[in-house]
């Protein structure tokens, strides 16, 4: 144990030194109000620096460029958060969702093609939700019809984060329209440069165009880009959603507990006992979140994770984020309500409280709404009777 502690202390010193040397001190100001092109350039440059240091994909297997222990990952994310490092906004889907899907269900050829490419800067988007299939994802209507050694896809995807910059898409499409809705879905890797793919950015409430629509018109997808078996895409998608609900939280919890909580304390009046009580409660909840995240990652690596564990963490984080940013907007007062810009490379805890609060609602919806998470926890975690289906 003493040797392990010593190794971790040495690793922490190494990460701290690297952060002090490589994190741009003025990146928040430099990334505020920038063009899309500058945002993409900065994100790719920052990803390349992290990759060179071995910090870009610490959760991946060692043979693919990762291999840090859970304890080392926690130290890494603690130090990146404490030093206010930029977030990997653009690479997020690739290094988490695409990678977890390929590692869990992809072929050797698919892994060899895409995992090194992701490390070289390949950008991914998730093509799951549709206008009539959000929380009830299994109701999706996008189709993919088999024609020889290819599929022909038609349909529309909605709320596709970062699709405007994506090279590839994780696509769910219905391949058997006659099957029960969870039985007839397949999972594809879609080249976003394919003819028939159209991306339309959606301007949101705070003026960003982070979300996009994707329209597919007779788009051909090679059969080699099918992940898992045909009509078994729903099961494959659980690996992607599990990553979104679970493994990604390790970093996000540390950022919320470092920069996010630090800025909240700075925004609060120090002589108000009611405010002090709320801050103490938030600190307790953050401690609980960190513990849940570590337990989830350790249990996942050991094959002991429960069917609802990732949903517990996702629900806990998203609603804590919402409460904290709401409180920040309250205590920061009217000046915070008129601050309408924040850094393009920050997360949901940027210190621009009104924008952070509005953005926090995004986290209680994608990857399964809070209501969906509670249903999963009740049915799969607690063994309660299933919710009756609506005809």
């Amino acid at each position: 144990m003493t040797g392990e502690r010593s190794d971790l202390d040495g690793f922490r010193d190494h990460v701290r030194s690297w952060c002090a040397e490589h994190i741009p001190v003025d990146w928040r100001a430099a990334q505020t109000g920038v063009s899309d092109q500058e945002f993409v350039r900065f994100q790719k440059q920052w990803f390349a620096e992290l990759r060179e240091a071995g910090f870009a994909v610490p959760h991946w297997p060692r043979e693919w460029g990762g291999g840090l222990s859970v304890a080392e990952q926690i130290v890494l994310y603690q130090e990146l958060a404490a030093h206010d490092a930029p977030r990997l906004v653009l690479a997020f889907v690739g290094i988490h969702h695409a990678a977890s899907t390929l590692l869990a269900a992809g072929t050797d050829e698919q892994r060899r093609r895409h995992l090194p490419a992701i490390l070289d800067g390949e950008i991914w988007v998730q093509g799951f939700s549709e206008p009539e299939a959000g929380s009830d994802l299994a109701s999706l209507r996008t189709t993919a019809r088999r024609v020889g050694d290819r599929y022909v896809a038609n349909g529309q995807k909605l709320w596709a984060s970062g699709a405007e910059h994506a090279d590839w898409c994780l696509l769910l499409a219905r391949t058997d329209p006659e099957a029960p809705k969870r039985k007839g879905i397949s999972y594809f890797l879609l080249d976003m440069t394919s003819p028939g793919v159209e991306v339309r950015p959606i301007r949101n409430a705070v003026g960003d165009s982070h979300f996009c629509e994707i329209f597919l018109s007779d788009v051909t997808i090679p059969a080699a880009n099918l992940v898992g078996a045909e009509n078994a895409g729903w099961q494959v998608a659980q690996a992607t959603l599990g990553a979104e609900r679970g493994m990604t939280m390790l970093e996000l919890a540390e950022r919320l507990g470092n920069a996010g909580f630090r800025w909240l304390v700075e925004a609060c009046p120090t002589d108000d006992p009611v405010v002090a009580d709320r801050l103490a409660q938030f600190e307790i909840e953050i401690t609980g979140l960190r513990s849940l995240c570590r337990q989830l990652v350790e249990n996942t690596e050991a094959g002991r994770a429960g069917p609802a564990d990732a949903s517990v963490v996702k629900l806990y984080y998203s609603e804590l984020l919402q409460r904290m940013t709401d409180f920040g907007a309250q205590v920061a007062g009217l000046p915070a309500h008129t601050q309408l810009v924040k850094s393009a490379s920050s997360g949901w805890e940027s210190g621009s409280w009104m924008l952070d609060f509005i953005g926090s609602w995004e986290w209680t919806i994608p990857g399964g709404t809070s209501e969906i998470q509670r249903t999963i926890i009740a049915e799969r975690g607690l063994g309660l009777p299933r919710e009756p289906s609506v005809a």
Side-chain angles (χ1 to χ4, degrees):
M1 179 66 92
T2 303
E4 180 182 354
R5 171 66 63 184
S6 177
D7 290 345
L8 283 180
D9 288 343
F11 180 69
R12 187 181 295 277
D13 290 340
H14 169 62
V15 176
R16 283 179 177 172
S17 297
W18 186 90
C19 287
E21 181 178 348
H22 290 270
I23 295 176
V25 294
D26 62 342
W27 72 267
R28 285 190 177 275
Q31 278 286 286
T32 299
V34 296
S35 65
D36 282 348
Q37 292 77 12
E38 175 56 24
F39 164 69
V40 172
R41 185 204 65 78
F42 177 84
Q43 282 282 308
K44 290 192 172 185
Q45 178 183 325
W46 177 238
F47 181 81
E49 287 200 52
L50 287 168
R51 176 194 176 180
E52 185 175 352
F55 298 156
V57 290
H59 55 294
W60 286 18
R62 187 175 301 278
E63 62 266 30
W64 294 109
L68 293 189
S69 68
V70 172
E72 288 172 327
Q73 290 179 52
I74 291 171
V75 167
L76 172 63
Y77 291 135
Q78 284 176 341
E79 294 302 323
L80 288 173
H83 287 81
D84 191 27
R87 280 198 61 238
L88 292 174
V89 180
L90 199 59
F92 191 83
V93 174
I95 64 178
H96 291 296
H97 306 162
S100 65
T101 301
L102 291 169
L103 290 167
T107 64
D108 289 340
E109 181 181 352
Q110 288 169 347
R111 285 190 282 267
R112 287 194 300 268
R113 162 63 182 85
H114 290 291
L115 292 178
I118 291 171
L119 285 177
D120 285 336
E122 186 175 81
I123 304 303
W124 285 73
V125 64
Q126 188 169 299
F128 283 17
S129 297
E130 299 182 4
E132 302 298 328
S135 296
D136 185 14
L137 181 59
S139 295
L140 65 87
R141 298 178 180 178
T142 294
T143 62
R145 179 172 52 89
R146 183 76 182 246
V147 180
D149 62 351
R150 295 179 176 271
Y151 290 84
V152 179
N154 286 277
Q156 177 187 359
K157 295 296 177 177
L158 192 60
W159 313 125
S161 301
E164 189 175 15
H165 308 299
D167 303 303
W168 285 82
C169 174
L170 301 172
L171 180 72
L172 287 181
R174 189 164 301 285
T175 43
D176 184 354
E178 303 302 321
K181 62 182 185 179
R182 285 181 174 81
K183 302 293 186 179
I185 296 171
S186 296
Y187 199 117
F188 298 95
L189 309 177
L190 169 64
D191 185 345
M192 291 293 284
T193 64
S194 302
V197 176
E198 180 186 358
V199 176
R200 298 180 190 173
I202 302 171
R203 189 174 180 85
N204 64 19
V206 297
D208 295 334
S209 297
H210 176 62
F211 293 123
C212 297
E213 295 175 285
I214 302 174
F215 294 89
L216 308 174
S217 302
D218 291 332
V219 177
T220 59
I221 304 173
N225 288 6
L226 176 70
V227 182
E230 185 177 286
N231 298 324
W234 183 258
Q235 290 72 29
V236 177
Q238 302 316 301
T240 306
L241 294 171
E244 185 169 8
R245 295 167 182 163
M247 301 295 281
T248 61
M249 296 300 160
L250 194 61
E251 176 190 3
L252 296 176
E254 290 304 325
R255 289 188 177 273
L256 187 62
N258 277 273
F261 185 68
R262 184 171 68 246
W263 286 325
L264 183 59
V265 171
E266 292 171 355
C268 289
T270 57
D271 57 349
D272 188 325
V274 175
V275 170
D277 181 71
R278 289 292 301 277
L279 290 176
Q281 181 62 38
F282 282 135
E283 188 166 18
I284 292 169
E285 292 186 78
I286 288 169
T287 301
L289 174 64
R290 284 169 160 162
S291 177
L292 281 174
C293 288
R294 177 167 187 158
Q295 184 179 56
L296 173 62
V297 175
E298 289 175 340
N299 287 343
T300 299
E301 288 198 345
R304 298 192 305 266
D309 288 0
S311 290
V312 170
V313 174
K314 197 267 186 184
L315 178 67
Y316 192 162
Y317 168 80
S318 61
E319 299 202 344
L320 175 56
L321 172 68
Q322 199 169 89
R323 290 195 302 273
M324 282 183 60
T325 54
D326 182 14
F327 188 62
Q330 292 179 46
V331 298
L334 289 176
H337 294 201
T338 59
Q339 187 176 358
L340 300 180
V341 293
K342 70 176 185 178
S343 169
S345 293
S346 66
W348 297 272
E349 61 295 316
S350 73
S352 299
W353 293 109
M354 182 54 65
L355 298 184
D356 287 346
F357 176 56
I358 294 172
S360 73
W361 288 82
E362 176 185 337
W363 253 103
T364 58
I365 300 173
T369 63
S370 291
E371 291 76 13
I372 292 292
Q373 304 310 322
R374 288 186 171 90
T375 298
I376 292 172
I377 294 166
E379 296 178 355
R380 302 182 194 173
L382 301 177
L384 297 178
R386 291 185 62 85
E387 184 177 358
S389 61
V390 177

